[in-house]
C-alpha cells in the first residue's frame, strides 16, 4: 500500500470546481494562446499579449476565460484592456511578471501579484492589485500597485497552505532586508478569506544568488521548491506549506555547456524535477549561436544530482519556461532568440516516467498565427496535485472511451480511508469504495464528456488526496458513403502513373473532416488489422497505378474502422509561367505577388482550380506545409528561381506547373551629376551624352524631362534639373538618373600684377566669372589651379585662363622686366648682345640705358627698343670684365647694377 503524505486538502466543493477550470486558458508570447477545453489542447489566436517573458491567465470554475496580463496591462475576457487595467508595476521582460490568485471563498475577487524587470537598472519590486467582478461581469481593478517588497528577483509561485484550502502562499525571492544584495531569503505572503497579509514569513537560506532571472516553482504537493537563477545556478529546497518556510537548499550543477537554468517544473506525482536551461548568449546573438537543454532529476534518488538525464539538446533554441497543465502534461515555451518566437509549444507527454520514457515531443502544439517566446503563465501549483485514478500507465488525467465501453476508476484500497466520488461536481451517492465503474448514460449525444473526482481522507491526520478523470466517449467511425480516391499529380520526370503521395491528404476525404479522427496507413488489410508495417504518411511512392491502400481510422478512444482507398495519378502536361519583376535594389531579389500567375495557370479551365505555390516540385506533390509559399514572396535565388504551382480540384491535384521568378536588371547607364551650359562663349545648345552599357539584344526607349526629348542624348540651353528615363521595352524595367545643368561663363581677366626686377619675379592673376578656372603660360599647359606664377625669368609672357567647365580659353600678354647677368659677344648667335628684357614698342618703349666701365666711364647709351650693346667701344671690342649700367624706365623707376662680359 502506497500513501502520499501531501500537505493540503480538497474537502470543499468550491476548491474542487475551481481547480477544474482555473488553468484551462493560457495566453502568452506574441498573441499566442492555448485552451485545454479541447483534447488535445488547441491554439487560441484571439489574445492581445505581446510579451517576451512574463504573463498570467485565469479562468472560472467552468473553464471560461476571466482575464490575463503581462504584468503591466490587464485584458478582460473580451480581450479589451480592463477598466483601470493599465500601469501595473510588472514588466513583460520579467521572468514571472505576474501570478493571479483568487480570494478564497469569494468568486468576485482576484489578486494580481506582479514583479518588475529587475535587470534593467530599475526595480519596482513586488506589488499586488485587486480585480473585482462584483459590479462588472468583465471585471475592474479597484486597488492598484499595493507595495509588498521594494526589491525582488523575477520570481513568483503559489501553493495551498498545508491542509487549509482557504489559505494560499504566494512566495518570492529577495534579500534579507528586501533591498540590494545576495538573494537568499524567501518571502511567503498568505492570502486568505480576509485578504492579503502584507507581513510575510521570511526564510533566509544558504544560497548565493545574484542573478534575478529564472522561474520559481512549487511541487504540486507543496513539499519542494525549485529556484532557477540563470548565472547563479539551480537550487532545490524543502518547503513546509503549513508554516511557509523554506529550508535545506541543494545546489544542483547542470553538468552541461547550457549552464543557465531558466524554466523549472515538477511532475504531477512530485517525483521528477524538469529543468530548461540555455547558454544565455547576449540578446544580439544570432539564433544559430543559441543552445538549450532539457533535464530530468529523480527526487527519490539518494543522489539527486547524479540522477540527471538529458531529455533533449537543441543548438538553435533560446531559453523557455516550463508549466504543468491541467491534463497532467508539462509544456515548454519555445523561442529562437530573445525576442524571436516560434509558433509551437513542446510537450513532456509522460512526466511521471523516468528518463526518456517521459516522451518529450518537440513542437507538439501548433500555435497557429501566434508565437511562443520565453514565458508561460504560472498558477497555484496545488491545482495540479492529483493522484492517478485512471490507472492506465498514462500520466494524463484524460480518459477516452468508445461509446459502448465501461471502465473502472480506482485508487489504492487503504483500510479506514473515506472515499468520496464526484461526477460533474456532485457527490455520487452509494459509491464509497476505492473504485467506481463508469459508462456513458443512455441516450446521451456523442461525443459525450463528464468529469469524475475522488477524495481520499485517510483519517490519520494527514491531508486528503484528490484524483481527477476527464472522460470523453466517442462513437465508432463510419465508412465513407462513396469510394475514396486520393489523386496526385505525376512528377515531371516520368509518365508511368507513379508519383509521390502525402497520405495525410486522404484523412479528411475518409473521415469527412472530423477533427477527432486520426489515420494510420498500410499497404494491406492484414497489416492494418495487425497494426504492423505502417507507412510513412508524409512521403509514399505508389508501386503501381491505381494502387489500393488501407487506412486504420480511429478516434482518441481507438474506436476504429479499416477503410480501403485508391491512389490515382493525374497526368496533365506541365507548363511554365514566367513572372517578371524589376531589380529595384540591384541585388537580384524582388517581391512577387504569386497570385499574378493564377490566371495564366488556370487558363480557360471551367472548374476554376485552387492554386498553391511551393518551393520545390516534391513539396508541391506532397503538399509539404513548410515549403508552402505565401502570396507575397521574396525570391531566395537571385535573378532566376523556379517554384512550383499545384492546381487542385476538390482537394485533388489537377496539375503541377513551373513558375519562373525572373528578376530583370534595370537599364545600365551612367549620367554625370552636373553639367555646364556656357552662356557667354557658346550660346548654342549644350549636348549631354550619357555613358550607356545596355544589352544590345533588348529594345529601349528614352525620355528627357522637362524637354520631352526621346533621343539617346540631350541638346538644351535650359539650366536646372534634367531627368533621363531609360525603359527596357522587352522587360518594362526602367531607370532614371538626373543631371543638374549649371550656367557657366568664360573667364574675364581683371588684372595681372607682376613683381619683377627681383630674385623671384612673380605674376598674380585676378579673374572674374561664375565658373571654375585654371591657369597656364602656354596654351597647351601645363595648367594649374593656383593663380600665382613664381620664379619667372624676365621677358614676355602670354597668360591663358581656361574654363574647367568647358567654356573656352581667354588670354592676355604681360612682361617681366629684367636684364641679363652676362653676355658673350662672340658671333655664335647666343647672347651676343646685352639688353633689358621685357621692354618693347608697347611696354615702356622710352626706357633709356647707360653702360659704364668699372671706372665710371660712359661707354654706351642705348634705347630699350634697340638690339642692345655688342661689347664694343669706338669699334673696338672691350675685354672680359664686369660693366655697370643705369636704367631709367619710362615709368620713372631706376635700376643700377652690373653684368659680366665674357669673351
Amino acid at each position: 500500500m502506497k500513501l502520499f503524505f501531501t500537505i493540503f486538502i480538497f474537502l470543499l466543493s468550491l476548491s474542487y470546481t475551481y481547480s477544474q477550470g482555473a488553468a484551462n486558458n493560457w495566453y502568452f508570447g506574441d498573441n499566442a494562446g492555448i485552451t485545454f477545453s479541447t483534447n488535445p489542447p488547441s491554439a487560441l489566436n484571439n489574445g492581445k499579449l505581446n510579451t517576451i517573458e512574463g504573463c498570467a491567465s485565469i479562468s472560472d470554475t467552468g473553464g471560461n476565460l476571466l482575464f490575463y496580463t503581462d504584468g503591466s496591462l490587464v485584458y478582460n475576457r473580451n480581450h479589451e484592456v480592463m477598466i483601470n487595467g493599465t500601469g501595473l508595476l510588472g514588466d513583460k521582460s520579467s521572468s514571472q511578471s505576474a501570478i493571479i490568485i483568487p480570494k478564497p471563498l469569494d468568486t468576485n475577487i482576484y489578486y494580481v501579484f506582479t514583479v518588475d524587470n529587475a535587470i534593467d537598472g530599475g526595480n519596482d519590486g513586488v506589488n499586488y492589485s485587486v480585480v473585482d467582478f462584483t459590479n462588472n461581469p468583465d471585471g475592474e481593478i479597484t486597488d492598484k500597485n499595493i507595495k509588498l517588497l521594494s526589491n525582488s528577483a523575477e520570481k513568483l509561485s503559489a501553493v495551498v497552505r498545508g491542509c487549509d484550502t482557504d489559505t494560499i502562499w504566494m512566495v518570492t525571492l529577495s534579500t534579507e532586508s528586501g533591498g540590494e544584495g545576495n538573494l537568499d531569503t524567501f518571502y511567503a505572503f498568505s492570502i486568505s478569506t480576509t485578504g492579503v497579509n502584507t507581513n510575510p514569513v521570511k526564510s533566509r537560506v544558504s544560497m548565493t544568488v545574484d542573478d534575478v532571472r529564472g522561474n520559481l516553482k512549487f511541487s504540486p504537493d507543496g513539499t519542494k521548491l525549485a529556484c532557477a537563477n540563470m548565472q547563479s545556478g539551480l537550487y532545490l529546497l524543502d518547503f513546509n506549506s503549513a508554516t511557509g518556510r523554506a529550508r535545506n537548499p541543494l545546489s544542483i550543477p547542470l553538468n552541461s555547456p547550457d549552464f543557465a537554468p531558466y524554466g523549472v517544473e515538477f511532475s504531477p506525482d512530485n517525483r521528477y524535477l524538469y529543468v530548461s536551461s540555455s547558454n544565455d548568449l547576449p540578446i544580439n546573438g544570432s539564433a544559430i549561436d543559441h543552445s538549450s537543454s532539457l533535464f530530468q532529476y529523480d527526487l527519490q534518488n539518494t543522489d539527486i544530482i547524479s540522477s540527471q538525464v538529458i531529455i533533449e539538446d537543441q543548438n538553435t533554441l533560446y531559453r523557455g519556461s516550463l508549466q504543468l497543465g491541467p491534463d497532467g502534461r508539462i509544456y515548454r515555451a519555445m523561442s529562437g532568440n530573445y525576442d524571436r518566437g516560434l509558433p509551437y509549444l513542446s510537450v513532456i507527454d509522460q512526466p511521471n516516467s523516468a528518463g526518456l520514457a517521459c516522451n518529450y515531443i518537440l513542437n507538439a502544439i501548433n500555435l497557429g498565427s501566434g508565437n511562443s517566446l520565453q514565458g508561460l503563465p504560472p498558477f497555484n501549483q496545488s491545482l495540479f496535485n492529483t493522484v492517478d485514478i485512471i490507472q492506465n500507465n498514462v500520466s494524463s488525467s484524460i480518459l477516452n472511451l468508445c461509446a459502448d465501453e465501461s471502465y473502472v476508476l480506482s485508487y489504492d484500497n487503504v483500510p479506514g480511508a473515506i472515499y468520496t466520488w464526484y461526477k460533474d461536481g456532485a457527490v455520487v451517492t452509494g459509491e464509497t469504495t476505492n473504485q467506481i465503474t463508469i459508462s456513458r448514460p443512455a441516450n446521451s449525444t456523442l461525443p459525450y464528456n463528464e468529469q469524475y473526482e475522488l477524495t481520499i481522507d485517510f483519517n490519520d491526520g494527514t491531508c486528503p488526496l484528490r484524483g481527477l478523470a476527464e472522460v470523453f466517449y466517442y462513437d465508432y467511425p463510419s465508412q465513407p458513403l462513396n469510394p475514396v480516391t486520393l489523386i496526385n499529380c505525376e512528377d515531371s520526370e516520368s509518365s508511368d502513373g507513379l508519383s509521390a503521395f502525402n497520405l495525410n491528404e486522404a484523412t479528411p476525404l475518409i473521415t469527412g473532416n472530423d477533427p477527432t479522427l486520426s489515420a494510420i496507413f498500410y499497404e494491406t488489410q492484414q497489416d492494418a488489422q495487425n497494426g504492423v508495417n505502417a507507412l510513412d504518411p508524409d512521403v509514399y511512392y505508389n508501386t503501381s497505378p491505381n494502387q489500393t491502400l488501407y487506412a486504420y481510422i480511429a478516434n482518441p478512444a481507438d474506436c476504429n474502422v479499416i477503410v480501403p482507398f485508391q491512389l490515382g495519378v493525374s497526368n496533365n502536361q506541365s507548363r511554365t509561367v514566367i513572372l517578371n519583376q524589376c531589380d529595384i535594389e540591384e541585388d537580384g531579389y524582388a517581391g512577387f505577388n504569386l497570385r499574378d500567375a493564377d490566371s495564366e495557370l488556370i487558363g480557360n479551365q471551367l472548374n476554376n482550380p485552387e492554386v498553391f505555390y511551393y518551393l520545390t516540385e516534391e513539396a508541391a506533390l506532397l503538399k509539404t506545409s513548410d515549403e508552402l509559399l505565401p502570396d507575397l514572396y521574396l525570391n531566395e535565388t537571385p535573378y532566376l528561381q523556379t517554384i512550383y504551382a499545384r492546381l487542385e480540384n476538390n482537394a485533388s491535384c489537377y496539375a503541377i506547373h513551373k513558375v519562373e521568378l525572373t528578376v530583370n536588371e534595370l537599364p545600365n547607364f551612367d549620367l554625370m551629376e552636373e553639367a555646364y551650359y556656357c552662356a557667354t562663349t557658346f550660346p548654342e545648345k549644350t549636348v549631354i551624352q550619357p555613358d550607356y552599357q545596355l544589352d544590345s539584344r533588348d529594345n529601349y526607349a528614352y525620355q528627357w524631362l522637362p524637354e520631352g526629348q526621346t533621343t539617346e542624348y540631350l541638346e538644351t540651353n535650359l539650366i536646372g534639373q534634367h531627368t533621363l528615363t531609360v525603359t527596357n521595352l522587352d522587360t518594362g524595367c526602367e531607370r532614371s538618373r538626373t543631371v543638374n545643368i549649371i550656367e557657366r561663363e568664360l573667364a574675364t581677366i581683371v588684372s595681372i600684377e607682376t613683381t619683377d626686377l627681383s630674385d623671384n619675379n612673380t605674376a598674380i592673376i585676378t579673374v572674374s566669372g561664375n565658373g571654375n578656372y585654371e591657369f597656364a603660360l602656354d596654351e597647351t599647359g601645363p595648367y594649374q589651379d593656383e593663380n600665382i606664377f613664381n620664379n619667372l625669368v624676365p621677358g614676355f609672357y602670354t597668360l591663358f585662363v581656361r574654363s574647367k567647365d568647358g567654356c573656352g580659353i581667354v588670354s592676355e600678354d604681360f612682361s617681366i622686366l629684367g636684364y641679363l647677368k652676362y653676355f658673350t659677344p662672340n658671333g655664335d648667335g647666343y647672347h651676343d648682345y646685352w639688353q633689358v628684357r621685357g621692354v618693347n614698342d608697347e611696354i615702356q618703349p622710352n626706357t633709356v640705358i647707360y653702360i659704364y666701365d668699372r671706372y665710371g666711364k660712359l661707354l654706351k647709351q642705348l634705347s630699350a627698343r634697340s638690339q642692345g650693346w655688342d661689347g664694343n667701344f669706338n669699334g673696338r671690342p672691350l675685354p672680359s670684365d664686369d660693366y655697370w649700367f643705369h636704367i631709367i624706365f619710362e615709368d620713372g623707376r631706376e635700376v643700377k647694377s652690373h653684368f659680366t662680359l665674357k669673351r
Side-chain angles (χ1 to χ4, degrees):
M1 179 176 63
K2 180 179 180 183
L3 295 180
F4 289 84
F5 293 95
T6 56
I7 51 176
F8 61 94
I9 188 169
F10 286 92
L11 293 178
L12 299 176
S13 60
L14 173 65
S15 298
Y16 301 149
T17 55
Y18 161 69
S19 65
Q20 289 173 12
N24 263 29
N25 300 289
W26 297 5
Y27 287 93
F28 52 90
D30 182 8
N31 300 115
I34 58 172
T35 179
F36 290 88
S37 298
T38 62
N39 178 35
S42 54
L44 295 172
N45 293 129
N46 53 1
K48 294 295 181 64
L49 286 191
N50 188 346
T51 173
I52 295 173
E53 296 182 81
C55 54
S57 307
I58 201 73
S59 301
D60 65 15
T61 58
N64 302 302
L65 176 69
L66 288 176
F67 64 95
Y68 56 97
T69 180
D70 62 1
S72 58
L73 291 173
V74 178
Y75 294 91
N76 63 25
R77 62 182 179 177
N78 302 314
H79 310 287
E80 300 168 340
V81 175
M82 184 177 285
I83 294 174
N84 202 25
T86 61
L88 275 67
L89 295 180
D91 191 294
K92 65 182 181 180
S93 189
S94 172
S95 301
Q96 292 173 296
S97 65
I99 191 170
I100 302 169
I101 307 297
K103 183 179 181 181
L105 300 182
D106 190 335
T107 58
N108 289 320
I109 301 297
Y110 291 79
Y111 300 107
V112 182
F113 295 88
T114 61
V115 63
D116 190 18
N117 169 9
I119 204 167
D120 62 0
N123 192 338
D124 284 316
V126 178
N127 301 268
Y128 77 93
S129 302
V130 180
V131 175
D132 192 345
F133 287 87
T134 304
N135 300 313
N136 189 331
D138 295 329
E140 57 185 319
I141 294 182
T142 55
D143 297 282
K144 188 188 298 184
N145 296 328
I146 301 169
K147 183 70 69 178
L148 293 176
L149 282 175
S150 297
N151 186 72
S152 174
E154 300 174 359
K155 306 175 191 300
L156 301 172
S157 192
V159 73
V160 165
R161 176 179 177 176
C163 295
D164 177 11
T165 57
D166 295 345
T167 303
I168 300 168
W169 294 113
M170 195 291 296
V171 178
T172 188
L173 177 66
S174 185
T175 63
E176 183 182 19
S177 64
E180 300 291 333
N182 181 34
L183 299 164
D184 61 357
T185 304
F186 290 95
Y187 288 71
F189 297 89
S190 65
I191 302 99
S192 66
T193 57
T194 60
V196 178
N197 186 344
T198 58
N199 295 314
V201 174
K202 294 198 294 183
S203 304
R204 188 180 183 188
V205 296
S206 179
M207 298 194 317
T208 302
V209 175
D210 58 7
D211 193 313
V212 297
R213 301 167 297 167
N215 292 177
L216 180 71
K217 199 69 67 73
F218 282 106
S219 61
D221 65 3
T223 62
K224 296 292 183 181
L225 186 61
C227 183
N229 311 287
M230 296 296 284
Q231 301 296 335
S232 299
L234 173 67
Y235 287 90
L236 176 68
L237 303 99
D238 294 325
F239 186 77
N240 186 333
S241 68
T243 64
R245 295 191 180 277
R247 61 190 181 89
N248 300 330
L250 172 66
S251 177
I252 302 179
L254 296 185
N255 299 324
S256 167
D258 302 332
F259 56 83
Y262 183 80
V264 287
E265 187 55 283
F266 293 86
S267 61
D269 66 0
N270 306 289
R271 175 168 182 172
Y272 297 104
L273 172 64
Y274 293 88
V275 182
S276 171
S277 182
S278 75
N279 59 3
D280 195 35
L281 285 183
I283 63 174
N284 59 352
S286 63
I288 197 67
D289 293 330
H290 296 306
S291 61
S292 179
S293 297
L294 180 65
F295 305 91
Q296 183 198 73
Y297 295 90
D298 185 353
L299 305 188
Q300 292 184 10
N301 193 302
T302 55
D303 185 354
I304 293 175
I305 294 175
S306 67
S307 72
Q308 181 195 82
V309 177
I310 298 177
I311 302 300
E312 187 253 11
D313 253 334
Q314 274 277 353
N315 63 0
T316 59
L317 291 182
Y318 201 57
R319 58 181 180 241
S321 296
L322 300 174
Q323 178 58 48
L324 185 58
D327 60 355
R329 299 178 175 93
I330 295 176
Y331 292 81
R332 182 187 186 188
M334 307 292 288
S335 61
N337 205 334
Y338 176 77
D339 56 0
R340 181 175 67 82
L342 298 174
Y344 302 99
L345 289 182
S346 294
V347 172
I348 303 172
D349 188 57
Q350 301 292 320
N352 289 343
S353 299
L356 299 181
C358 71
N359 190 28
Y360 175 76
I361 305 173
L362 182 67
N363 298 339
I365 305 295
N366 190 319
L367 298 176
S369 60
N371 284 309
S372 168
L373 282 154
Q374 299 174 46
L376 290 174
F379 296 92
N380 173 359
Q381 287 292 97
S382 297
L383 300 180
F384 311 114
N385 187 47
T386 60
V387 295
D388 184 8
I389 63 174
I390 298 177
Q391 301 288 318
N392 59 356
N393 297 318
V394 176
S395 297
S396 173
S397 59
I398 304 296
L399 175 61
N400 298 309
L401 299 174
C402 296
D404 57 357
E405 285 185 305
S406 62
Y407 194 87
V408 177
L409 301 176
S410 66
Y411 187 65
D412 296 343
N413 186 11
V414 180
I418 298 174
Y419 296 89
T420 306
W421 289 93
Y422 298 82
K423 178 182 177 182
D424 294 331
V427 174
V428 181
T429 58
E431 298 288 351
T432 59
T433 67
N434 68 313
Q435 62 183 27
I436 185 174
T437 301
I438 64 172
S439 61
R440 179 175 68 93
N443 301 321
S444 56
T445 302
L446 293 170
Y448 179 73
N449 167 241
E450 56 191 9
Q451 293 176 335
Y452 288 88
E453 298 177 58
L454 170 65
T455 61
I456 311 113
D457 185 353
F458 298 109
N459 275 320
D460 61 357
T462 61
C463 297
L465 296 180
R466 172 178 175 257
L468 176 66
E470 188 89 12
V471 184
F472 295 86
Y473 294 92
Y474 295 92
D475 200 358
Y476 285 89
S478 58
Q479 290 272 3
L481 295 177
N482 299 307
V484 171
T485 301
L486 177 61
I487 299 176
N488 201 14
C489 294
E490 196 163 39
D491 63 67
S492 59
E493 302 300 324
S494 63
S495 58
D496 52 9
L498 304 181
S499 187
F501 287 83
N502 182 345
L503 299 181
N504 295 306
E505 295 178 53
T507 301
L509 301 177
I510 298 171
T511 64
N513 288 303
D514 186 339
T516 67
L517 299 179
S518 61
I520 305 175
F521 302 98
Y522 300 88
E523 285 191 335
T524 69
Q525 186 171 10
Q526 184 176 2
D527 284 350
Q529 291 170 342
N530 296 331
V532 297
N533 303 320
L535 302 177
D536 179 0
D538 296 329
V539 185
Y540 178 74
Y541 294 91
N542 61 320
T543 57
S544 63
N546 303 315
Q547 181 180 356
T548 298
L549 296 181
Y550 296 86
Y552 180 96
I553 304 298
N555 55 34
D558 200 26
C559 318
N560 62 80
V561 64
I562 296 174
V563 178
F565 67 99
Q566 278 194 320
L567 302 180
V569 173
S570 170
N571 58 0
N572 290 300
Q573 187 174 2
S574 176
R575 51 196 175 84
T576 301
V577 171
I578 298 175
L579 287 183
N580 289 285
Q581 284 292 348
C582 298
D583 191 8
I584 303 300
E585 299 296 330
E586 299 191 78
D587 57 2
Y589 298 94
F592 290 83
N593 186 342
L594 301 183
R595 293 296 158 202
D596 290 342
D598 283 3
S599 58
E600 188 173 351
L601 289 167
I602 295 172
N604 57 2
Q605 297 175 43
L606 298 178
N607 50 21
N608 195 29
E610 290 186 275
V611 183
F612 303 90
Y613 295 92
Y614 290 88
L615 194 62
T616 64
E617 183 178 22
E618 183 179 49
L621 287 168
L622 300 174
K623 296 183 69 171
T624 306
S625 59
D626 289 348
E627 296 189 28
L628 177 65
L629 301 180
D631 290 348
L632 301 179
Y633 176 66
L634 180 71
N635 59 305
E636 300 175 29
T637 303
Y639 298 107
L640 179 62
Q641 179 178 349
T642 300
I643 61 173
Y644 295 84
R646 177 188 175 99
L647 277 62
E648 287 189 359
N649 288 325
N650 299 319
S652 294
C653 188
Y654 174 79
I656 292 180
H657 300 307
K658 292 181 180 180
V659 179
E660 290 188 354
L661 305 180
T662 302
V663 180
N664 294 301
E665 295 184 0
L666 305 183
N668 188 13
F669 69 95
D670 293 320
L671 184 62
M672 67 284 287
E673 294 181 1
E674 288 185 348
Y676 304 100
Y677 171 66
C678 300
T680 54
T681 309
F682 303 106
E684 67 273 9
K685 294 181 177 181
T686 290
V687 176
I688 304 297
Q689 179 64 57
D691 180 14
Y692 292 107
Q693 301 100 43
L694 302 178
D695 192 328
S696 61
R697 296 169 295 181
D698 294 336
N699 299 304
Y700 298 90
Y702 309 85
Q703 184 177 49
W704 294 88
L705 294 177
E707 287 83 352
Q709 293 182 27
T710 57
T711 56
E712 295 183 24
Y713 57 89
L714 172 68
E715 292 186 4
T716 186
N717 54 13
L718 298 178
I719 61 174
Q721 300 281 342
H722 298 259
T723 299
L724 168 62
T725 299
V726 179
T727 303
N728 187 322
L729 298 177
D730 298 310
T731 66
C733 298
E734 64 179 35
R735 186 199 297 272
S736 296
R737 295 195 187 280
T738 298
V739 57
N740 185 28
I741 299 181
I742 303 171
E743 185 178 71
R744 287 290 185 256
E745 299 173 341
L746 190 64
T748 297
I749 300 174
V750 176
S751 66
I752 304 175
E753 298 181 11
T754 61
T755 299
D756 49 15
L757 301 171
S758 69
D759 291 335
N760 179 21
N761 300 317
T762 63
I764 301 175
I765 317 302
T766 302
V767 299
S768 64
N770 67 354
N772 299 304
Y773 305 110
E774 55 188 357
F775 307 88
L777 298 181
D778 188 297
E779 187 171 8
T780 59
Y783 281 87
Q784 64 181 42
D785 292 334
E786 184 65 41
N787 67 330
I788 298 176
F789 294 94
N790 294 303
N791 298 313
L792 298 178
V793 298
F796 298 98
Y797 294 88
T798 299
L799 169 68
F800 297 92
V801 183
R802 184 168 68 183
S803 167
K804 289 186 178 182
D805 308 319
C807 293
I809 300 174
V810 295
S811 63
E812 184 175 320
D813 294 333
F814 71 95
S815 71
I816 295 295
L817 299 176
Y819 54 87
L820 295 175
K821 298 292 185 180
Y822 68 91
F823 78 113
T824 56
N826 55 13
D828 63 359
Y830 297 98
H831 302 295
D832 286 336
Y833 296 89
W834 185 91
Q835 179 59 287
V836 175
R837 297 292 180 89
V839 175
N840 59 21
D841 290 342
E842 297 178 355
I843 300 175
Q844 303 207 47
N846 296 317
T847 295
V848 179
I849 305 164
Y850 300 94
I851 299 174
Y852 304 89
D853 64 13
R854 64 174 55 246
Y855 303 107
K857 179 180 179 180
L858 179 65
L859 302 177
K860 187 69 174 181
Q861 178 179 339
L862 298 172
S863 167
R865 291 177 291 171
S866 68
Q867 187 176 18
W869 182 45
D870 59 4
N872 293 329
F873 178 70
N874 293 330
R876 291 183 296 108
L878 294 179
S880 296
D881 201 351
D882 278 354
Y883 294 88
W884 297 85
F885 63 85
H886 179 194
I887 305 173
I888 303 174
F889 290 98
E890 184 176 327
D891 61 9
R893 287 183 294 167
E894 295 187 16
V895 177
K896 294 181 180 180
S897 188
H898 61 90
F899 59 90
T900 300
L901 186 155
K902 296 181 179 181
R903 296 271 183 194

